[in-house]
Amino acid sequence: MKAKMPAATTIRHIAQVASITPAKLFPLLGKRKRPLSGLPAQAAYAKHAKLLAISAKVAKPESKAVEPPEKLVKYFQAGPVNKRRQGFFTKPTERQIKQAQETSQQSADQAGGNAATAAKAKSAEAADKGSAGNVFRNVIHELRDRNLPVEMHYAHTEDQYWIPVVRIPAKESRRKLVMHLGMFDDLWSAASLVPFAREDGLDVFLIGNRNCPPFVRDPAAAGEYFDYSIDELGLQDFKAADVLVNHVVTQELVDMSTGNDSKQAFEHIKLVHSMAGAAVMIYLTDCLIKGEPHGISQIIAAGPAGFQRPKGLLGAGSQILRLLLRIPPHWQTITAFPIGLTEETLISEPIFKALYDVTSLKPLDKVAALALRTLLAGDTSKWADAIRREHYNPAGMPVVTWKILLHLLQQIKSRKFARFDYGKDKNQEVYRDDEPLDVAAVYDLLDVRIDFVAGAKDSIVSPKAVQKHVDAILKANERRAARGDAPIEWTYEVLPELGHLDIIDGDNDAAVACLRKHWQREYL
């Protein structure tokens, strides 16, 4: 059954972004279906209604363009860094490089004219070159190697961070696929899915976040760069990116308008993975509590965080951290530093060399793969292959902040999908309540379709953790039914034999088939 698409945005919002009159834009929007009635009176979130005035600021459409910093622009415009990936004891021979290139060329020749098959061959080529010690590249180089058109944009958040937005344009399409990825991840991982989305006629946007290099914000910004939790990823980065996407697309819709304005609305499909799954729900519920437009029509949530319960050694490590946090109170105030192997970390280069060795030398590579699988409680993703990717080095490594780690630990301890807990006193200042907002408790507000996807072998965000999101929606639908409101549309699929990374891997046939099935749905 097809459902009407929620309006891409409101007249007021588009008018602010595009700097044109509401009268000109009214035909673009059509009638907005009111999904719920009387929501502000509902007990499930009434005590959190005060967030309207005091929750974290979100980016607003800017009245004038702000030029992105030169450092950010140069990072994505630069050519590949002429530096080979190698370890202390291993480096590729010329013969290995030549063999890898010949194999890749043969695969590309056999792929023929099929774009998706050619993309998979190109991905295999990149993997071969990566293992052969190819130079460092960012996502722009990868997309151009796949012969894809690229537009570079930069979103500016209210708290003055700069977020890269890479567009692979199909401007004639009214269906926009906006991808956000998770922890220790960047735009690169989404590149393998782009050719399939393009083949299906989607206009694609890859959204970065403040976790990713080159870590740029305005010089006048207050506080430390790395002082943020998952809340800021949703309330700031998602908001700023959506403002930019709406701005770009709205301008194009107006320019392409031929008088038949009733067909000018566009569909905003979000594909989120892991930590981005938690961030989008924080962003979406915040918009709905405040009565602000969000413009999202569908969310495809692959392994979404929020209710994670880590197992094995990873779970044991989280328990140890929880115990340590109880000992010296000042630990919880030390939040403004990154955890990762960036260029600023002196030990990053030797660690990357060691990782390259243990994942490249036989039989150490099998030992390393087994160790990673044991650490991650049996997750079957190709973690060793991920480590060998050329963008995972000190110049391109994403980070996670200590505050994000604290946020995850809070969710594990409370068994709730909640906003960041600052402590009773600070919570009163931020939330006007002793406890942070329970995000899942306000799922009554949801007005978009959500398609959940989990990997049966995912031990980072297990199927049981994803099921908790579904359970929260089921409870919300019971409350909505009691009020006579329409239910939230949702689906849930568990992919057998797939791990945490596999479910967004463009080289995995099962993952690609599942994701394409969801984003091919027509709502207009």
Side-chain angles (χ1 to χ4, degrees):
M1 179 179 177
K2 295 183 179 180
K4 285 186 178 180
M5 182 198 76
T9 183
T10 65
I11 300 171
R12 175 181 58 81
H13 182 59
I14 289 185
Q16 287 176 323
V17 174
S19 299
I20 57 179
T21 63
K24 291 182 180 179
L25 285 164
F26 183 81
L28 303 185
L29 303 177
K31 294 182 180 179
R32 182 180 177 90
K33 179 181 178 182
R34 184 177 177 83
L36 300 173
S37 60
L39 277 175
Q42 298 304 319
Y45 67 93
K47 72 174 185 176
H48 299 292
K50 295 175 185 176
L51 285 171
L52 289 170
I54 46 78
S55 64
K57 292 182 179 179
V58 292
K60 303 296 181 184
E62 298 177 4
S63 58
K64 61 180 181 179
V66 179
E67 290 297 322
E70 185 179 2
K71 177 183 177 182
L72 182 65
V73 176
K74 283 185 175 181
Y75 181 85
F76 287 99
Q77 287 183 346
V81 179
N82 188 21
K83 178 181 179 181
R84 293 200 178 280
R85 290 288 309 278
Q86 61 184 38
F88 289 109
F89 308 105
T90 55
K91 67 178 182 179
T93 64
E94 293 299 325
R95 181 180 178 183
Q96 288 174 326
I97 295 174
K98 185 176 181 180
Q99 288 177 342
Q101 291 173 342
E102 289 175 352
T103 301
S104 300
Q105 185 60 48
Q106 291 173 2
S107 300
D109 293 341
Q110 293 171 0
N114 184 283
T117 306
K120 184 170 288 190
K122 201 68 181 178
S123 180
E125 176 186 356
D128 289 340
K129 286 185 177 181
S131 62
N134 194 27
V135 295
F136 163 70
R137 302 182 300 160
N138 61 38
V139 68
I140 303 299
H141 309 133
E142 172 70 6
L143 292 170
R144 286 175 177 163
D145 280 354
R146 295 172 184 266
N147 297 316
L148 294 170
V150 177
E151 284 182 10
M152 198 69 216
H153 302 273
Y154 305 96
H156 192 217
T157 70
E158 180 76 4
D159 57 354
Q160 299 178 304
Y161 287 74
W162 285 91
I163 309 301
V165 176
V166 180
R167 185 188 190 187
I168 302 86
K171 297 182 180 182
E172 69 285 354
S173 174
R174 295 294 182 267
R175 305 178 67 238
K176 315 297 179 179
L177 181 65
V178 183
M179 300 190 197
H180 304 255
L181 299 176
M183 185 185 297
F184 289 127
D185 215 337
D186 64 1
L187 302 170
W188 182 286
S189 298
S192 63
L193 293 172
V194 170
F196 300 100
R198 292 270 299 172
E199 196 170 275
D200 292 336
L202 275 70
D203 190 1
V204 183
F205 291 83
L206 309 182
I207 312 297
N209 59 48
R210 61 187 69 193
N211 284 342
C212 301
F215 310 119
V216 176
R217 67 173 182 165
D218 294 343
E224 300 289 337
Y225 181 97
F226 294 105
D227 188 13
Y228 58 85
S229 68
I230 302 174
D231 286 358
E232 284 74 27
L233 297 182
L235 300 176
Q236 298 282 351
D237 295 4
F238 271 71
K239 183 72 173 183
D242 280 7
V243 167
L244 185 141
V245 170
N246 285 338
H247 173 84
V248 171
V249 174
T250 299
Q251 292 281 30
E252 291 174 353
L253 291 177
V254 173
D255 293 342
M256 292 188 296
S257 177
T258 58
N260 188 11
D261 291 331
S262 62
K263 297 182 179 180
Q264 294 299 307
F266 67 93
E267 182 183 1
H268 181 143
I269 306 167
K270 277 203 184 296
L271 171 58
V272 293
H273 177 241
S274 193
M275 188 168 63
V280 74
M281 299 308 289
I282 289 171
Y283 163 58
L284 180 58
T285 54
D286 186 74
C287 287
L288 292 169
I289 287 172
K290 294 178 178 180
E292 295 181 348
H294 55 75
I296 304 170
S297 50
Q298 178 189 5
I299 295 174
I300 305 171
F307 289 104
Q308 56 281 339
R309 297 289 295 172
K311 303 176 182 178
L313 293 177
L314 195 64
S318 69
Q319 295 298 322
I320 291 171
L321 279 174
R322 282 177 54 192
L323 290 174
L324 288 174
L325 290 174
R326 293 181 180 180
I327 301 172
H330 66 274
W331 272 54
Q332 297 199 42
T333 65
I334 305 174
T335 58
F337 69 89
I339 301 171
L341 302 176
T342 67
E343 288 182 305
E344 290 79 12
T345 307
L346 294 177
I347 63 171
S348 61
E349 188 67 26
I351 289 178
F352 270 109
K353 286 181 177 291
L355 286 173
Y356 189 89
D357 280 337
V358 299
T359 56
S360 301
L361 289 171
K362 297 184 181 299
L364 280 180
D365 59 337
K366 294 182 179 180
V367 174
L370 179 61
L372 287 168
R373 183 172 297 184
T374 303
L375 175 66
L376 300 172
D379 189 281
T380 58
S381 302
K382 298 176 182 178
W383 295 98
D385 291 345
I387 290 172
R388 287 197 296 266
R389 288 177 177 174
E390 53 262 47
H391 69 307
Y392 270 0
N393 63 37
M397 183 69 183
V399 302
V400 61
T401 68
W402 177 241
K403 198 168 182 178
I404 286 177
L405 185 58
L406 281 177
H407 197 171
L408 293 171
L409 290 172
Q410 290 170 2
Q411 293 173 344
I412 292 170
K413 180 182 178 180
S414 67
R415 296 177 180 267
K416 293 181 179 180
F417 175 22
R419 297 270 290 272
F420 188 81
D421 188 350
Y422 296 93
K424 185 176 180 180
D425 293 340
K426 184 70 179 294
N427 284 345
Q428 280 289 344
E429 179 184 339
V430 176
Y431 305 112
R432 293 296 190 268
D433 198 282
D434 291 347
E435 300 293 330
L437 172 66
D438 184 347
V439 179
V442 298
Y443 277 4
D444 296 59
L445 293 164
L446 297 180
D447 60 353
V448 301
R449 178 191 182 90
I450 304 180
D451 297 298
F452 293 101
V453 180
K457 299 295 184 180
D458 186 343
S459 62
I460 308 300
V461 181
S462 69
K464 288 184 179 180
V466 180
Q467 180 66 45
K468 289 186 179 295
H469 286 283
V470 176
D471 292 342
I473 288 179
L474 291 173
K475 291 178 181 177
N477 276 343
E478 290 177 1
R479 296 190 291 269
R480 290 166 69 123
R483 299 193 299 267
D485 292 321
I488 303 163
E489 293 187 56
W490 63 274
T491 63
Y492 179 34
E493 184 172 358
V494 179
L495 301 178
E497 306 303 321
L498 266 61
H500 191 62
L501 299 182
D502 299 333
I503 54 180
I504 57 159
D505 185 359
D507 295 327
N508 188 293
D509 293 337
V512 170
C514 176
L515 297 176
R516 295 181 83 172
K517 176 178 64 178
H518 290 306
W519 73 48
Q520 285 174 352
R521 295 180 187 275
E522 295 287 345
Y523 290 91
L524 290 178

